[in-house]
Amino acid sequence: MIQAQTGAALARLLEEEISILTELSQLLEREHSIIATRQPVDVLDQACQLRQLRMGALLNLEEERRSLLRAANLPDTHQGIDQLLTNLSEGPRLRQRWKKALELASRCRDLNDRNGALVAARLRRVEGMLEVMTGDVGSPRVYGPRGALTADRNGRMLTAEA
């Protein structure tokens, strides 16, 4: 009886996780499109908020899975899941769902890394343009007394009117 309940609970968790990871993957693809096409910041903010909601849901599912493993006296690790799947009669079917969840999580990580690299590249470009405009080329970047990132402000005048 307990094994059937555990199997049903794990099946539900895996299905929810796969669903959320699929949504997260789509959100990360959308985020990339927003960044790549330079859409307004408020559009990116909305996409980021949706992503954060999905991440929160994933964290809740992870905690439920950990609780399920603890209730089965197993470690809350990948080895614990593997052991649980080995002990369940529906383990082979659930193992495939677990593998699917891991693949989706890996894809989301890769998409997130790609988005982060794109944002970092854009930031470097903007910083470069600002350096040219302000004359801060090559100035060391340090944190000031108030904790803000600063650079030597020996700018140069680009134009002057008499």
Side-chain angles (χ1 to χ4, degrees):
M1 181 69 175
I2 291 175
Q3 187 181 34
Q5 290 173 340
T6 302
L10 183 58
R12 179 190 60 79
L13 289 173
L14 289 174
E15 290 309 312
E16 285 183 39
E17 188 167 4
I18 288 169
S19 175
I20 291 170
L21 286 166
T22 300
E23 288 178 45
L24 183 59
S25 174
Q26 293 165 352
L27 287 169
L28 288 165
E29 288 284 3
R30 181 170 177 257
E31 229 177 76
H32 183 266
S33 175
I34 291 168
I35 297 165
T37 59
R38 295 182 170 106
Q39 293 183 32
V41 173
D42 61 321
V43 175
L44 182 59
D45 283 344
Q46 290 171 353
C48 290
Q49 288 174 5
L50 290 172
R51 177 178 35 88
Q52 287 305 108
L53 288 173
R54 301 326 297 149
M55 290 299 297
L58 281 174
L59 289 174
N60 290 338
L61 289 175
E62 181 181 7
E63 185 53 40
E64 284 186 61
R65 187 173 53 248
R66 286 180 173 176
S67 293
L68 187 68
L69 288 168
R70 284 190 298 269
N73 292 318
L74 295 170
D76 61 352
T77 62
H78 286 285
Q79 291 81 13
I81 287 281
D82 188 56
Q83 212 174 338
L84 181 61
L85 293 170
T86 300
N87 296 339
L88 294 172
S89 60
E90 63 267 63
R93 180 182 61 81
L94 293 178
R95 189 175 303 278
Q96 289 195 347
R97 302 311 292 161
W98 174 242
K99 183 179 175 189
K100 174 75 173 174
L102 291 176
E103 289 168 357
L104 283 167
S106 178
R107 174 166 167 67
C108 288
R109 183 192 63 235
D110 292 345
L111 291 171
N112 192 57
D113 289 348
R114 177 187 68 170
N115 291 354
L118 180 56
V119 167
R122 292 278 164 86
L123 184 58
R124 282 191 304 273
R125 183 170 183 262
V126 168
E127 286 174 344
M129 289 187 297
L130 287 172
E131 286 175 351
V132 168
M133 290 172 58
T134 63
D136 282 344
V137 179
S139 297
R141 302 242 179 240
V142 295
Y143 287 96
R146 293 196 174 109
L149 187 61
T150 62
D152 185 17
R153 294 287 177 210
N154 294 328
R156 64 175 188 220
M157 192 178 326
L158 295 176
T159 62
E161 291 183 359

